[in-house]
Amino acid sequence: MNVLKLIGRTTALLLGIAMYSISPNVFAEEAKQTEVWSLSQDEQDLINVTNGDIPGDRGKDGVWEFHLYTTDGYIEMTNGELVWVFGYTHAKGSFKNVGEVTTKEQVEQLLEPVKVPSDPVHLFVGEKARVTLHNTGMHCAAEHSGINHVAHTIHFHGLDLTPAVDGVPSLPVDPVLEHTAFTYELLPQYEGSFMGHCHVDSFNHILAGMYFPIIIHQDRSKTAYGYKYDRDYTLFLSELSSVANEQLQESGVVHGLQDWKADYYLINGRTFTDNLYHPRSVINDPRSRIVAYEDETVLLRLMAIGADHVFALHPHGYHMEVVALDGRKLKSTYDKDTICIASGERIDVLVRIPHFASQRKCLSCNLGAGITIMHDHNLRGMVSTGKYPMGALTIFDVRSKSKAAQPEAPLKGGKPYNPLEH
Ligand SMILES: [Cu+2]
């Protein structure tokens, strides 16, 4: 069940109910049909763990199938700049096979626009998967650019794979040439947080946008490494140089690679900006703004990729319990309020949202439910295109289940609210 299908069916259900209430005699049959629709158990279980991300499809033999297409395009930043990128994408609304895609018209008609990072791939321990990479070529680069006909691969970073399906070109499998395809076959052995990225001309291809999260689940429950969670967010931190990308687009070469310098620091391909309503900002992305309720446990899958920046992620008001590093459960966990994460690393943390009124006794920090920020404490990562605060910053948007801790609660009986009394 993909999201579009789900939205379509939900809309059909709502429309059905609405029409039934308006003219029960005319639309009774149709309304009855839509009312009995429900997700299969398998579909419900999948949504439970993919958190709204598009799952793969099952082949006839039951194997998970993903078809990833490489292409290029533009992403819009919060300052309005359109940055040319290339990366992986997939069919509209699914990871289905739409055949070989070779023209710009086919790309626009059949595929989702390219994103940075591209959409997560969800896998399951012990369940075989086939990931097919289709190289569609470039469609928005200069005609004479050397980038136009390059090969790509997928390296499954952190998975324990044989070299044949590990995506390092010619070790021993050749990279995927323009207008050809290759299928990687995997049998995930460990649950955890991983990433995929291209391994051809890695510096240029990765930094141009060729990366995505890979999340391997133990089962269909909301647990990770044996820990239960209520909500999960994947925050992919990365660097982008619009200058280098433009040079690649024009000529296929970045001039003075040793001087490569990011001008954007991203969370899930977006920057924060002080215009809180900007549609392209981090906090306007439901995948990146961390919404939770009191008493809940939030799993954050932190990932990073880039040239040289080490992100130092710091949430205000909360400590994070580190439960796994690089896709392996720690034998004992530890608490941090600032997590340094460098290119290639994955760090999984739990944030336990307290019940503010009963569990926080410190008056100065007992702000209750509400908004706190989480930002890169290596402050370079808070500056994009010379502007601050424009970079790797998101928010915890914590909501109260109890009236006592709601923002309007500070006044009680005309007296200042005192959490010690609760
Ligand atoms: Cu590549």
Side-chain angles (χ1 to χ4, degrees), residues 41 99 154 160 184 231 254 268 287 307 370 385 389 405 411 415 421:
Q41 191 61 46
I154 303 173
D160 305 288
Y184 302 86
R231 294 167 199 276
V254 176
N268 292 341
R287 296 281 189 277
T385 63
L411 291 177
K415 293 179 189 170
E421 292 174 357

Side-chain angles (χ1 to χ4, degrees), residues 86 151-153 198 200 205 210:
F86 56 94
H152 301 293
T153 63
C198 184
V200 175
H205 287 214
M210 299 199 79

Side-chain angles (χ1 to χ4, degrees), residues 105-119:
E105 291 69 34
Q106 288 175 321
V107 167
E108 288 169 357
Q109 189 188 348
L110 298 170
L111 305 178
E112 299 269 1
V114 69
K115 286 184 212 164
V116 174
S118 47
D119 285 339

Side-chain angles (χ1 to χ4, degrees), residues 345-360:
E345 289 189 299
R346 289 90 58 217
I347 302 179
D348 293 320
V349 304
L350 297 177
V351 179
R352 300 184 200 282
I353 310 291
H355 183 279
F356 294 99
S358 64
Q359 292 178 318
R360 281 215 171 149

Side-chain angles (χ1 to χ4, degrees), residues 284-338:
N284 260 316
D285 176 20
R287 296 281 189 277
S288 311
R289 181 183 69 246
I290 302 157
V291 174
Y293 285 85
E294 285 188 296
D295 295 328
E296 288 188 338
T297 298
V298 179
L299 168 68
L300 299 181
R301 298 179 188 269
L302 309 175
M303 308 185 177
I305 206 158
D308 54 16
H309 185 69
V310 176
F311 292 87
L313 215 54
H314 170 60
H316 288 199
Y318 305 102
H319 267 67
M320 301 173 280
E321 182 183 2
V322 182
V323 296
L325 295 176
D326 295 341
R328 288 290 189 279
K329 179 179 181 172
L330 292 177
K331 290 182 175 64
S332 58
T333 66
Y334 59 94
D335 291 346
K336 288 279 288 172
D337 69 11
T338 307

